[in-house]
Amino acid sequence: MHIVVCGALVENGAVLLVHRSPTRQAYPDLWDLPGGHVKAGEPELQALAREMREELGVQIVAESSSRLGDWHAGSGADAVHVGVWLIGDWVGSPINRAPEEHDDIAWVGISELGSLPLVFDALPALLHALPEPDRLARRDKARTTASPSRS
């Protein structure tokens, strides 16, 4: 079984999605939350922080992250378990640092998710279930501090 983590960065009623390249072997040409595989022995939250840094150039504030749910896909050797996390705060501005994996990233209104081809059809319902404050921008010190990766 493959263990994967993905994170929802939510701001002003929108969530950051990545568009999986049409050349990807798994789930090509679909929109998804950013994330990736958990390495053997790696805690999920640590994997999430690594993936957000590698793919988007942001540093998540781990204490602000909470588990939203789990998705399961495939079976046997192809089975995938996906841990879905809400990331409350991060440092830096998301950019596509993995163009070989994603050909686009975009902030998408939570109310507009149902009109996109998504890896997991349950994503709109999961994000619609968030309490209203979790859908709004939260600008605090952690978010407005310049990221070391910014130029």
Side-chain angles (χ1 to χ4, degrees):
M1 175 180 290
H2 303 278
I3 308 296
V4 173
V5 290
C6 60
L9 282 71
V10 178
E11 185 171 78
N12 293 327
V15 62
L16 187 75
L17 296 181
V18 295
H19 185 261
R20 296 176 63 86
S21 171
T23 59
R24 296 290 304 268
Q25 183 177 2
Y27 305 105
D29 204 24
L30 296 174
W31 288 93
D32 197 7
L33 293 172
H37 290 272
V38 177
K39 295 177 182 178
E42 184 179 36
E44 279 194 25
L45 198 51
Q46 183 178 331
L48 183 64
R50 177 181 49 77
E51 288 290 344
M52 294 299 114
R53 190 173 50 254
E54 290 174 0
E55 293 189 5
L56 301 174
V58 298
Q59 180 176 343
I60 68 169
V61 177
E63 302 80 34
S64 76
S65 302
S66 59
R67 192 173 200 98
L68 282 176
D70 296 277
W71 291 326
H72 301 277
S75 61
D78 293 330
V80 178
H81 172 260
V82 182
V84 185
W85 293 79
L86 174 65
I87 301 170
D89 274 317
W90 61 92
V91 177
S93 297
I95 59 170
N96 186 5
R97 293 185 62 188
E100 68 285 355
E101 296 180 26
H102 313 117
D103 58 7
D104 197 7
I105 66 171
W107 289 99
V108 178
I110 291 172
S111 62
E112 299 166 22
L113 289 173
S115 66
L116 292 177
L118 300 167
V119 169
F120 291 101
D121 292 337
L123 182 60
L126 189 65
L127 293 175
H128 277 293
L130 289 174
E132 193 63 31
D134 288 331
R135 293 193 221 170
L136 302 175
R138 292 188 309 229
R139 289 273 177 203
D140 63 14
K141 273 188 190 177
R143 285 292 278 293
T144 57
T145 303
S147 169
S149 64
R150 278 189 175 164
S151 47

